[in-house]
Amino acid sequence: MNQGPLVFVGTFFALAATWFTFVLEPSQQIGNQSQFLIEDSGQLFPVKPAGLAHQGEAVYRANGCFYCHTMQVRPQGLGGDVARGWGARSGPVQSVSRDYLFAETTMLGSQRVGPDLTNIGLRQTNLVWHLQHLYDPSSLAPGSTMPPYRFLFTKHTLKPGQKRSPDALPEDPKAPGVEVLPSDDAKALVAYLTGLHSDGVLYEAPAFYVKPVAKADKKAAVPVTPAPAPAK
Amino acid sequence: MSSPSCQLDASCADASAPITCAEIDASSRPLLLLVVSAALWLVVGSILGLISSLTFHAPKMFADCAAMSFGRSHPAANNAFLYGFAVPAGLAVLLWLAGRIGRTKLIGAPLVVLGWLLWNIGVTVGVLGILQGENTGHEWLEFSRSASGFLLIGYVAVALAGVLTFRARKEGKLELSQWFILAALFWFPWIYSTSHLLLLIWPVRGVLQSVITWWYVNNLANVWMVLVGLAAAFYFVPKFAKAPLHSRPMGLFSFWSVILFGSWAGIPAGAPVPAWIPAVSTLGAFLSIAGILATWLNLSKTLCLADRHAQRSLSETFIPFGVKVFPVAALLGVLAQPAGVSGLLNFTWFLPAQQQLLVYGFYGLVLMGALHFMVSRLAPVADPKPMFAFLHFIGCAGGVVIFFLALACGGVAQGGVMNDSTVPFLNVVKGTLMWIRLSSLGELLMILGNLLFLLNVVLAVVRFLKVSMESFMAENAKPAGVRA
């Protein structure tokens, strides 16, 4: 008996089964998601990133930041994500699919060599801190294993009497008279990072509701703003 | 040929068969192109991998060199391994086995050469692109659109030659390996074109991209590579044991298990997708356990019939090692799936360790064993010296074991402290450094092994070309002599 057709049809069936389950069905279910109107604030979530942040996403992608940083908060009980303060929704609510609606490339990441960045835009809002951290991570986080991204900056010595550019990083006391300027890529990357936040109260990510109901007053309905985490 | 394994060809020299093994091998020589380029990319990939892990020894080393920074050299290394080595080497073995088992010459040699050329243009463009910052952002699919296009057309050309050779087989009933060969030939273009179209040409939105990436990665590692690795294992293991396979029905069960259940795994618990997706994925992983155990039992029962004291060729050390690694790597992959374990191990170094064990420890070693066998038939030269064989095996096998143990232990320890929110994150990172640095030792050994693999392949091919050239010159010199 010629078994070739049997193997071919069997393989086709198995491929079709996994394709329908993991490609077609998820597309049917979440492929048409749209922005959500948060009634309390009247704002839409997620917010479409600004132009510079959008450019920054390309820098994030090109330099492979997602190999060391994740961008997903798991629910409480699954790892220490919520306990570490990486989530920004009240209570144990995790990242949901709608959060990524406007990412040109969804880079959830698969390893945490560095901390999760889902809500880095809420934890660290200081642009200069981010630039300095990209230029020399260990100056702000001693012992950090993050490589410095000096190639995103230009460095030159100031001529006598020359003014420092307003864009320049704070002067390093060890190297006076040297100016470090962020490139457009570095600025875009920081715009992207500071724009990252997943804190919208959604139907599928509701404000955390604590039982008993009697005690769940206004506090439960309003998303709790997370305490800013210490700079790392 | 003086190699101890040359008697292994006896089974092929069937008197009733109108074609001999030597003829089949001679027709398969274009496949050597795929083998040489695969060996070269394997070395390039492992060197790039070492460069990327230098970041953990001296973070500031490549601060001014974008191309060598971790975020670029790491994906370049991985893609050089996957698309430079793993897929073309697998194709070479599939095509050669299709001819050998089907007792037919390789059909469509020009297609192989064309496909090889296109494929390697694609890999070169892709790897250089990643180093320059052209990364698509999808893990294991980082190659730019143009590079992936070359790969897809190149694959189709080579696989078409495979299908033609497969169809020219003498027997309608299939050997067990042929089931795996046919499925593998079709599996890759489907998953690659689907993910290529839906991620790069008409990109889907949001986390759907991640679902498709997970689906692709799992299908490449846990289905395609397993199909190719087992096709080779089910062909070579009975050859080495000089006995038939322990059980053919059990082998068929392995086949159905791989393609039906193996293809469902890979999406971690807690991912920001509808909860049924990781749940179904975990179920698929658990359903594949029986198939993994059946494969292990079947192959080890056959292997134990082999003569333990006989002198072993390189393939007879590499393939059995890979076969033993398979159940370990595959079962660890299954065990890491359920939510309880995933909460501990996801995002740690455990997963790269498990992945390396599967794609290099199992797939890579089985393939290298098969390729050594194949090269020694396609370009017959004497077996390498025992010292060479020893170093080669210690490099590849010892390297991957050290790499795996270091990162797996480091990953479990990392998961424990990462989930304890009282430990500052920086301390978690510092705690993993010792393990990562230890794994670099494994990487160094693997580079040594890969270099020796390249050396062996290139020397065999060069010597063969030299001998062929000399005999060609000698033949063509005769008329000139007459004229003189």
Side-chain angles (χ1 to χ4, degrees):
Chain A
M1 188 192 115
N2 184 3
Q3 292 177 323
L6 170 71
V7 179
F8 180 78
V9 172
T11 305
F12 185 80
F13 170 76
L15 264 166
T18 170
W19 189 83
F20 273 105
T21 315
F22 290 100
V23 178
L24 192 67
E25 182 51 32
S27 309
Q28 296 285 324
Q29 191 184 356
I30 54 174
N32 292 321
Q33 278 184 326
S34 55
Q35 278 175 311
F36 188 86
L37 180 70
I38 301 172
E39 286 182 3
D40 285 343
S41 58
Q43 284 181 332
L44 288 167
F45 185 87
V47 183
K48 209 167 184 174
L52 193 59
H54 185 72
Q55 286 174 32
E57 188 191 310
V59 181
Y60 188 87
R61 185 168 57 226
N63 292 298
C65 306
F66 56 96
Y67 295 106
C68 294
H69 296 278
T70 56
M71 228 184 264
Q72 49 177 320
V73 179
R74 292 178 293 175
Q76 201 163 37
L78 202 67
D81 304 17
V82 173
R84 280 196 180 275
W86 286 338
R89 295 198 162 100
S90 55
V93 180
Q94 72 273 30
S95 297
V96 292
S97 53
R98 205 189 297 264
D99 295 347
Y100 305 90
L101 218 50
F102 292 115
E104 190 184 324
T105 310
T106 305
M107 292 171 278
L108 295 181
S110 55
Q111 265 197 282
R112 282 181 178 158
V113 182
D116 184 86
L117 298 181
T118 312
N119 291 298
I120 188 68
L122 300 174
R123 286 207 300 276
Q124 182 53 265
T125 51
N126 186 340
L127 303 184
V128 178
W129 184 93
H130 277 292
L131 287 170
Q132 178 68 34
H133 186 246
L134 284 172
Y135 183 72
D136 185 8
S138 58
S139 68
L140 294 172
S144 168
T145 52
M146 178 165 148
Y149 287 82
R150 288 205 291 260
F151 57 81
L152 294 176
F153 296 81
T154 51
K155 187 172 153 182
H156 54 91
T157 314
L158 287 174
K159 289 175 192 143
Q162 191 184 353
K163 271 191 176 175
R164 293 179 72 81
S165 160
D167 276 354
L169 292 187
E171 190 174 23
D172 181 1
K174 284 181 221 154
V178 174
E179 187 182 55
V180 177
L181 286 170
S183 65
D184 290 344
D185 278 356
K187 288 183 206 163
L189 181 57
V190 169
Y192 174 65
L193 291 173
T194 48
L196 286 173
H197 63 101
S198 289
D199 53 349
V201 179
L202 308 173
Y203 176 72
E204 62 273 33
F208 187 51
Y209 201 64
V210 189
K211 279 188 175 180
V213 184
K215 284 190 181 174
D217 49 7
K218 277 180 195 168
K219 243 184 175 176
V222 179
V224 177
T225 317
K232 280 178 206 160
Chain B
M1 284 187 295
S2 59
S3 78
S5 55
C6 74
Q7 314 110 353
L8 292 172
D9 285 346
S11 61
C12 191
D14 187 342
S16 66
I19 187 164
T20 63
C21 275
E23 284 175 300
I24 296 171
D25 291 343
S27 74
S28 304
R29 286 207 179 105
L31 298 178
L32 283 174
L33 286 172
L34 286 166
V35 181
V36 173
S37 68
L40 198 64
W41 280 116
L42 181 65
V43 171
V44 171
S46 52
I47 291 173
L48 281 169
L50 186 73
I51 289 174
S52 74
S53 60
L54 284 177
T55 297
F56 297 102
H57 297 264
K60 295 186 179 176
M61 190 176 259
F62 299 114
D64 297 302
C65 178
M68 293 293 115
S69 62
F70 181 82
R72 296 191 188 187
S73 55
H74 170 71
N78 193 32
N79 281 273
F81 174 83
L82 290 175
Y83 303 109
F85 168 75
V87 177
L91 274 175
V93 171
L94 286 180
L95 264 63
W96 178 71
L97 284 180
R100 268 284 184 113
I101 303 173
R103 276 187 256 143
T104 169
K105 287 185 182 178
L106 177 75
I107 297 175
L111 283 173
V112 173
V113 179
L114 176 72
W116 167 80
L117 192 67
L118 291 174
W119 180 275
N120 279 287
I121 291 175
V123 178
T124 312
V125 170
V127 169
L128 291 178
I130 292 175
L131 292 177
Q132 284 188 330
E134 285 226 5
N135 188 327
T136 61
H138 306 292
E139 288 186 51
W140 286 39
L141 284 162
E142 285 94 340
F143 281 176
S144 59
R145 250 183 358 183
S146 49
S148 327
F150 275 111
L151 291 195
L152 194 59
I153 301 170
Y155 183 95
V156 170
V158 178
L160 196 59
V163 173
L164 291 175
T165 309
F166 188 88
R167 277 180 61 91
R169 70 192 183 279
K170 298 286 182 287
E171 297 257 345
K173 187 169 184 253
L174 299 179
E175 295 281 327
L176 185 55
S177 289
Q178 286 174 306
W179 288 62
F180 289 81
I181 293 170
L182 189 62
L185 284 174
F186 283 105
W187 207 273
F188 182 83
W190 179 309
I191 58 168
Y192 195 72
S193 59
T194 295
S195 40
H196 182 72
L197 286 176
L198 295 181
L199 293 175
L200 305 180
I201 309 285
W202 302 296
V204 291
R205 288 195 309 170
V207 286
L208 278 177
Q209 295 178 358
S210 306
V211 173
I212 289 168
T213 310
W214 276 315
W215 175 80
Y216 171 78
V217 169
N218 176 64
N219 270 283
L220 184 59
N222 286 327
V223 181
W224 194 83
M225 287 191 192
V226 171
L227 284 174
V228 178
L230 291 185
F234 282 127
Y235 176 76
F236 282 105
V237 166
K239 232 181 210 309
F240 297 156
K242 298 187 182 67
L245 187 70
H246 173 67
S247 160
R248 181 183 155 98
M250 222 190 231
L252 291 179
F253 177 69
S254 303
F255 173 79
W256 291 113
S257 168
V258 170
I259 64 168
L260 283 174
F261 306 133
S263 57
W264 288 47
I267 299 180
V273 293
W276 66 266
I277 300 178
V280 168
S281 206
T282 308
L283 180 70
F286 271 85
L287 287 174
S288 67
I289 291 180
I292 297 168
L293 293 177
T295 312
W296 166 69
L297 197 67
N298 206 359
L299 288 170
S300 58
K301 282 255 181 190
T302 314
L303 261 182
C304 70
L305 297 173
D307 182 2
R308 281 163 191 275
H309 303 293
Q311 192 196 344
R312 289 187 186 184
S313 67
L314 270 175
S315 12
E316 279 169 286
T317 46
F318 273 71
I319 293 176
F321 178 85
V323 162
K324 282 172 198 146
V325 164
F326 171 68
V328 181
L331 286 177
L332 283 176
V334 172
L335 293 179
Q337 271 271 332
V341 190
S342 174
L344 176 73
L345 296 180
N346 199 7
F347 307 132
T348 70
W349 285 99
F350 181 86
L351 297 186
Q354 184 267 338
Q355 214 156 51
Q356 182 77 358
L357 196 64
L358 186 75
V359 303
Y360 189 92
F362 159 66
Y363 180 79
L365 263 84
V366 167
L367 261 269
M368 278 193 237
L371 291 173
H372 274 309
F373 190 95
M374 199 177 133
V375 169
S376 69
R377 299 305 186 278
L378 267 49
V381 285
D383 257 11
K385 295 198 169 57
M387 188 58 190
F388 173 92
F390 174 76
L391 279 177
H392 181 21
F393 181 71
I394 287 298
C396 295
V400 75
V401 168
I402 292 177
F403 184 89
F404 166 74
L405 287 178
L407 287 189
C409 294
V412 173
Q414 181 193 6
V417 285
M418 197 150 70
N419 288 353
D420 178 0
S421 58
T422 57
V423 181
F425 191 80
L426 203 55
N427 291 9
V428 177
V429 176
K430 285 177 186 164
T432 59
L433 279 182
M434 182 186 78
W435 301 105
I436 299 172
R437 287 172 185 166
L438 196 60
S439 78
S440 296
L441 183 68
E443 269 187 294
L444 278 175
L445 280 174
M446 281 188 275
I447 291 185
L448 172 76
N450 296 344
L451 270 172
L452 292 177
F453 176 67
L454 175 69
L455 192 70
N456 201 29
V457 168
V458 168
L459 278 183
V461 172
V462 166
R463 262 187 237 150
F464 174 75
L465 286 178
K466 217 171 134 187
V467 172
S468 318
M469 191 65 92
E470 277 165 9
S471 64
F472 177 81
M473 297 291 271
E475 274 173 28
N476 286 281
K478 276 175 199 164
V482 172
R483 229 177 286 141

